[in-house]
Amino acid sequence: MLKENYTEVTEFILLGLTDRADLQPVLFVVFLVIYLITVIGNVGMILLIRTDTNLHTPMYFFLSHLSFVDLCYATNVTPQMLVHFLSKRKTISFLGCFIQFHFFIALVIADYYMLTVMAYDRYMAICKPLLYASKMSRGVCISLVAAPYIYGFANGLTQTILMLRLTFCGPNEINHFYCADPPLLVLACSDTNFNETAMFVGAGFNLTCSLTIILISYIFIFTAILRIRSAEGRRKAFSTCGSHLTAVTVFYGTLFCMYLRPPSETSVEQGKIVAVFYIFVSPMLNPLIYSLRNKDVKNSVRRMIQRKFFAK
């Protein structure tokens, strides 16, 4: 029920991961290290793919955009979080909060549809190798990459507009370390039923739709791999999918835990822990997963080191 006498909120206070003052410096160091590893890993992956012609294939083209999206949505949250660890006043302006809200939703949706595109790419490479070069042309790859960005930002804009229709009249303390939708809904003074429904439908549709496409792709992929007669051929085919499957498991598992629950104080507290995994851990691990388990990337790194340090 909307209150008749109210003062509109002009800024929000982010309560962060914990209110324990003694833990703030420790958390600052931990998340600074994680963020630096994330930046170095993802920027390094992008530059490696751009500079090494051996990696100019659809698979690595999509991987470079996955790294870019991971870098962007980690950067959308981390710098401000680091500042708040060392600040007494942990505020964010009303406009800044909704800008962060928009970009976070847009980039997360772009991220899991980028993973979907990568699953489709593996399906084409393994199940239809003779048609792969013609079906995955440069124009097709650009279209497949553009679609997650456009769709993600359209979703983010829609959710932001719906959230701006609500009235925020106090309290203004967001029980999170960034402007997330469940904690914001808890603070609204006006009716949030439509927003809650839109959040569940949107999150549920995007998660299940993209994951369904990935699962169907891998059913066909595993069926094709099992038909390969040589053990070496099967091992090589599985190795091209292992990194992607690991990234999908980490990312989608945490997202399902985060969104497919009603907003409440308990779910928000649990959501903080879950959010750490998909905002910080997943973007940090993806470059490591794809480099340590991928022979092409390891060979590319080796060639780059040899050119830089051992060239005459």
Side-chain angles (χ1 to χ4, degrees):
M1 179 72 71
L2 181 62
K3 300 174 184 178
E4 291 184 6
N5 297 318
Y6 66 88
T7 302
E8 287 193 1
V9 170
T10 58
E11 65 179 16
F12 293 100
I13 298 171
L14 294 169
L15 298 183
L17 280 173
T18 178
D19 57 359
R20 288 182 55 182
D22 58 315
L23 289 179
Q24 304 298 317
V26 177
L27 290 172
F28 173 82
V29 173
V30 170
F31 283 96
L32 177 61
V33 170
I34 291 174
Y35 183 58
L36 289 176
I37 294 172
T38 300
V39 171
I40 293 169
N42 284 289
V43 170
M45 183 66 74
I46 293 168
L47 293 177
L48 187 68
I49 293 170
R50 290 286 187 266
T51 56
D52 193 332
T53 54
N54 293 293
L55 299 180
H56 289 181
T57 64
M59 174 181 172
Y60 295 108
F61 176 69
F62 298 137
L63 177 56
S64 69
H65 282 274
L66 178 68
S67 292
F68 175 73
V69 174
D70 281 346
L71 179 64
C72 287
Y73 86 75
T75 301
N76 184 44
V77 174
T78 312
Q80 183 183 57
M81 183 182 179
L82 292 174
V83 171
H84 284 176
F85 279 136
L86 303 180
S87 304
K88 290 185 178 180
R89 186 168 171 78
K90 307 175 190 299
T91 60
I92 182 172
S93 68
F94 186 89
L95 178 61
C97 181
F98 280 91
I99 289 174
Q100 185 183 67
F101 174 82
H102 165 70
F103 276 99
F104 184 80
I105 292 177
L107 291 167
V108 167
I109 291 176
D111 204 312
Y112 51 73
Y113 278 107
M114 205 67 73
L115 288 168
T116 306
V117 168
M118 294 174 73
Y120 174 73
D121 171 68
R122 291 300 81 208
Y123 160 76
M124 291 298 299
I126 294 173
C127 297
K128 300 185 178 181
L130 299 179
L131 299 175
Y132 183 72
S134 60
K135 294 292 185 180
M136 299 298 289
S137 63
R138 179 169 179 78
V140 171
C141 289
I142 291 174
S143 298
L144 288 173
V145 158
Y149 287 118
I150 295 170
Y151 182 69
F153 275 82
N155 267 263
L157 183 61
T158 302
Q159 292 291 341
T160 304
I161 291 172
L162 289 176
M163 193 67 76
L164 285 169
R165 293 175 65 250
L166 300 176
T167 302
F168 296 91
C169 54
N172 65 339
E173 293 182 340
I174 298 176
N175 190 12
H176 220 298
F177 54 84
Y178 73 99
C179 290
D181 34 1
L184 275 172
L185 288 175
V186 172
L187 295 182
C189 300
S190 47
D191 181 50
T192 62
N193 285 331
F194 184 79
N195 291 72
E196 289 180 27
T197 303
M199 184 185 74
F200 291 136
V201 171
F205 171 78
N206 287 312
L207 284 168
T208 55
C209 180
S210 55
L211 190 57
T212 298
I213 295 172
I214 291 173
L215 291 175
I216 291 173
S217 297
Y218 272 102
I219 289 172
F220 284 106
I221 288 170
F222 289 146
T223 302
I225 289 175
L226 292 174
R227 290 174 183 166
I228 299 175
R229 294 182 178 181
S230 68
E232 178 62 23
R234 287 195 298 270
R235 187 197 63 77
K236 187 175 180 180
F238 271 121
S239 68
T240 64
C241 304
S243 300
H244 181 258
L245 277 174
T246 304
V248 166
T249 302
V250 172
F251 193 72
Y252 279 83
T254 54
L255 280 172
F256 268 110
C257 292
M258 177 67 181
Y259 281 105
L260 299 185
R261 310 174 292 188
S264 65
E265 289 300 322
T266 303
S267 69
V268 168
E269 287 296 333
Q270 295 170 348
K272 289 183 187 180
I273 307 302
V274 174
V276 167
F277 280 90
Y278 71 81
I279 295 175
F280 303 107
V281 178
S282 181
M284 179 185 69
L285 290 181
N286 279 347
L288 298 175
I289 292 169
Y290 281 98
S291 58
L292 295 177
R293 300 189 61 175
N294 190 296
K295 186 182 292 185
D296 292 337
V297 174
K298 287 191 286 189
N299 290 338
S300 180
V301 171
R302 193 177 297 115
R303 286 193 297 268
M304 183 185 70
I305 293 173
Q306 290 173 346
R307 285 198 303 268
K308 293 290 184 181
F309 299 103
F310 300 104
K312 294 182 180 179

